[in-house]
Amino acid sequence: MVGTESLKRIVDQICRDKGIDRALLIDAIEEAVRSAVRKKFGNRREIEVQFNDDQGEVEVFQYRTVVDEVYDEETEISLEDARSLDPDAELEDDLGEKLDNIADLGRIAAQSAKQVIIHRMRDAERDVIYEMYRDREGTIVNGIVQRFERGDMVINLGRTDAILPRDGQIPKRSYKQGDRIRAYLLEVRRDTREGKFRDSQLILSRTCNEFLVKLFEMEVPEIAEGIVKIMGVSREPGFRAKIAVSSIESDVDPVGACVGLKGSRVQNVVQELQGERIDIVPWSPDPAKYVYNALAPAEVSMVIVDDDKKFLLVVVPDDQLSLAIGRQGQNVRLASRLLGWKIDVKSEQRYSNMENNGYCSLTDVDGVDEGLADRLFAAGITSAGRLAGMETEQLMSLARLEQEKAKRLQQKAALIQPPEVAFAPPALLSAEEDGEQDEEDGPDNAPSDVGSQSVDPDLSEDPGKDPA
């Protein structure tokens, strides 16, 4: 089984093809034969296995103790039999005898040897791959799409395959077998028996923030040289990203360096990310200035900073509110992640209303949110007392509420302030009459009657998910 003339040639070929150390492979073969011999002859025998490099075969030796009278043939040999093998043998010597009948070890023993060799070769290959790629962790690698497994993408990197998980793929972008692809080498693992991806040592990602950073490092020489630094990144992969940059040299514009001549540098990155919009903003150590830059292109009227709570109240012109919030809150959400602060965006009108005690009494009523409070206040219902004192049918008509809810609001309002004398407020504007403000991102944007948007970076949506 093991003493063939081609064994040495096979060993050399495997070492060349797989990059496995020759000593490790020979050790695996010796261990496999040792396991097979023990399966055949039992575990009580003292067995030694050696690979004879000159002859290209595996030699097996059995060691037994020389005794006068043999009680156990597996571990003992008589002096007479010992001297037939070695004329100089003496009592108590450990005599080695080469086993020549190992060519047929049986099906079970041969299967055991095969499993040992496969296991050891896999371990050796894993070590080779780990040593080859461990220094490349955190870099961009190029590969070819090999196949798909339950949504995960298997990428061939040349010497080995890597996994690009479903959550590491940019949404709305499909690849087919044979396509070239670039990705960020997120993790290099030595042991593949633990974790989500079995038998996968290399884990890739195209949705992590680091991928965007590395792309800019490749496109912008000033970043690679350390003149321009990337201070923060937030992404919703495939849709929009914000990146904050600063420069250590006063005569180098960090934003201009990243944009490039006629936008060439940033467009190369956008193209790699399949059209993901990228906002490049100047970094500032001042949170108020930083959030002013981060919410661009929206204008900011005022910023109130709470350092202890890491909270920013941002006031914008009424016609800039939708632009500041962005489609389904995307702009303010990305800005919040970029700063790591909670951001509350309010229109100037709502902020002015909040300075009014009557308006505050309305928002104190359980069940009245800021949107409803704005509508009531605009209609002349300027306090919780007036809300409690008005006719229920009138409230139902103005606020488009069911009778039960309208009565409940009035009861709650009466707990805040005593009911005031009923009056006839002007008709509330309907949603159609109220109109909607235009904003940068199209028809899915927040309507103008939304007076604020509060975002906590720790509770914001997963950047890998479609915000829609």
Side-chain angles (χ1 to χ4, degrees):
M1 182 185 75
V2 293
T4 63
E5 297 178 357
S6 62
L7 181 58
K8 183 177 180 179
R9 178 175 54 81
I10 293 173
V11 168
D12 292 337
Q13 182 177 348
I14 291 176
C15 292
R16 285 195 305 269
D17 294 344
K18 301 292 186 180
I20 299 174
D21 183 59
R22 194 171 189 274
L24 290 177
L25 181 56
I26 290 175
D27 184 59
I29 294 174
E30 290 176 350
E31 182 181 341
V33 174
R34 187 179 300 109
S35 173
V37 171
R38 292 191 184 282
K39 286 281 186 181
K40 178 69 174 179
F41 298 107
N43 294 323
R44 297 183 62 248
R45 299 196 183 196
E46 185 178 348
I47 299 296
E48 181 178 316
V49 179
Q50 295 179 349
F51 179 78
N52 189 322
D53 208 349
D54 294 333
Q55 299 182 13
E57 66 177 9
V58 178
E59 299 176 335
V60 180
F61 296 90
Q62 175 184 228
Y63 285 86
R64 291 183 290 181
T65 303
V66 181
V67 295
D68 276 332
E69 187 174 354
V70 176
Y71 293 98
D72 185 352
E73 292 184 355
E74 292 188 357
T75 60
E76 297 175 342
I77 185 173
S78 66
L79 180 59
E80 181 180 354
D81 292 339
R83 286 183 173 172
S84 65
L85 298 174
D86 183 1
D88 297 329
E90 300 291 342
L91 292 175
E92 303 302 327
D93 285 350
D94 287 331
L95 183 64
E97 178 185 1
K98 183 178 179 181
L99 299 181
D100 296 324
N101 59 336
I102 63 168
D104 184 15
L105 293 175
R107 182 181 60 83
I108 296 177
Q111 185 67 22
S112 174
K114 177 181 177 182
Q115 292 299 326
V116 170
I117 291 177
I118 291 174
H119 178 72
R120 290 293 299 273
M121 284 188 62
R122 284 179 178 172
D123 287 345
E125 285 187 75
R126 279 196 294 265
D127 290 340
V128 169
I129 296 302
Y130 178 79
E131 293 298 329
M132 182 183 300
Y133 284 95
R134 66 174 182 173
D135 293 333
R136 298 180 63 184
E137 185 175 285
T139 64
I140 290 180
V141 295
N142 299 291
I144 298 175
V145 178
Q146 192 79 2
R147 62 184 183 277
F148 299 88
E149 295 180 353
R150 297 184 295 277
D152 299 331
M153 198 181 298
V154 179
I155 310 297
N156 182 271
L157 301 182
R159 287 293 301 272
T160 187
D161 290 341
I163 288 290
L164 180 60
R166 182 195 297 268
D167 57 8
Q169 301 172 29
I170 295 177
K172 300 181 180 180
R173 176 64 170 95
S174 60
Y175 285 90
K176 60 182 182 295
Q177 189 175 2
D179 286 349
R180 297 195 65 84
I181 190 171
R182 286 200 292 184
Y184 180 80
L185 184 53
L186 187 66
E187 183 182 1
V188 179
R189 304 188 298 177
R190 183 187 290 274
D191 188 0
T192 62
R193 288 170 291 184
E194 298 180 359
K196 179 180 178 182
F197 303 103
R198 299 292 181 91
D199 299 326
S200 299
Q201 287 185 266
L202 308 181
I203 311 300
L204 307 178
S205 175
R206 285 174 56 83
T207 59
C208 63
N209 292 341
E210 292 80 4
F211 184 50
L212 179 60
V213 172
K214 290 297 180 181
L215 288 175
F216 269 101
E217 287 181 1
M218 295 171 63
E219 294 292 337
V220 183
E222 291 86 349
I223 294 179
E225 295 169 4
I227 299 174
V228 174
K229 294 185 177 181
I230 297 177
M231 307 301 292
V233 176
S234 61
R235 292 182 66 194
E236 291 191 352
F239 299 95
R240 193 170 180 179
K242 288 183 181 290
I243 178 170
V245 293
S246 67
S247 174
I248 63 174
E249 296 184 6
S250 58
D251 59 342
V252 176
D253 176 19
V255 176
C258 293
V259 172
L261 182 63
K262 297 183 179 180
S264 58
R265 292 175 177 176
V266 70
Q267 284 304 318
N268 289 337
V269 177
V270 170
Q271 184 177 2
E272 177 63 36
L273 298 178
Q274 287 85 47
E276 183 175 314
R277 289 184 53 192
I278 301 176
D279 298 333
I280 304 174
V281 302
W283 176 84
S284 173
D286 179 10
K289 180 64 175 176
Y290 196 5
V291 75
Y292 179 90
N293 297 335
L295 287 176
E299 298 177 4
V300 175
S301 303
M302 181 176 62
V303 179
I304 300 176
V305 181
D306 187 338
D307 289 308
D308 295 333
K309 296 181 179 179
K310 284 200 167 185
F311 173 81
L312 297 171
L313 175 60
V314 179
V315 181
V316 300
D318 294 350
D319 61 351
Q320 294 286 304
L321 179 63
S322 296
L323 195 60
I325 293 174
R327 177 180 297 183
Q328 299 184 0
Q330 186 182 73
N331 193 49
V332 68
R333 187 164 58 245
L334 288 173
S336 179
R337 291 199 202 117
L338 189 66
L339 275 74
W341 289 51
K342 182 178 179 180
I343 300 175
D344 189 4
V345 180
K346 295 187 181 297
S347 65
E348 290 179 346
Q349 180 62 53
R350 174 164 291 178
Y351 181 74
S352 176
N353 290 345
M354 291 176 61
E355 299 294 309
N356 185 287
N357 292 333
Y359 179 87
C360 292
S361 70
L362 284 174
T363 58
D364 289 340
V365 176
D366 185 18
V368 177
D369 57 19
E370 289 184 342
L372 179 56
D374 286 345
R375 293 175 58 78
L376 295 174
F377 195 79
I381 307 173
T382 56
S383 67
R386 288 198 174 187
L387 175 62
M390 69 184 301
E391 294 292 335
T392 302
E393 291 77 9
Q394 192 177 30
L395 177 60
M396 292 169 54
S397 175
L398 294 175
R400 299 187 295 277
L401 299 174
E402 295 181 355
Q403 184 176 19
E404 182 179 350
K405 184 175 182 180
K407 287 183 176 180
R408 185 165 62 250
L409 288 180
Q410 289 185 298
Q411 292 172 356
K412 297 288 185 181
L415 299 177
I416 304 296
Q417 285 184 355
E420 297 182 12
V421 179
F423 76 109
L428 287 173
L429 295 176
S430 66
E432 293 77 9
E433 294 169 336
D434 209 11
E436 295 184 352
Q437 295 178 336
D438 294 332
E439 62 173 84
E440 56 167 340
D441 285 326
D444 291 334
N445 290 336
S448 60
D449 61 353
V450 178
S452 68
Q453 175 77 26
S454 180
V455 175
D456 188 335
D458 296 329
L459 302 178
S460 58
E461 297 179 9
D462 188 333
K465 294 182 180 179
D466 186 336

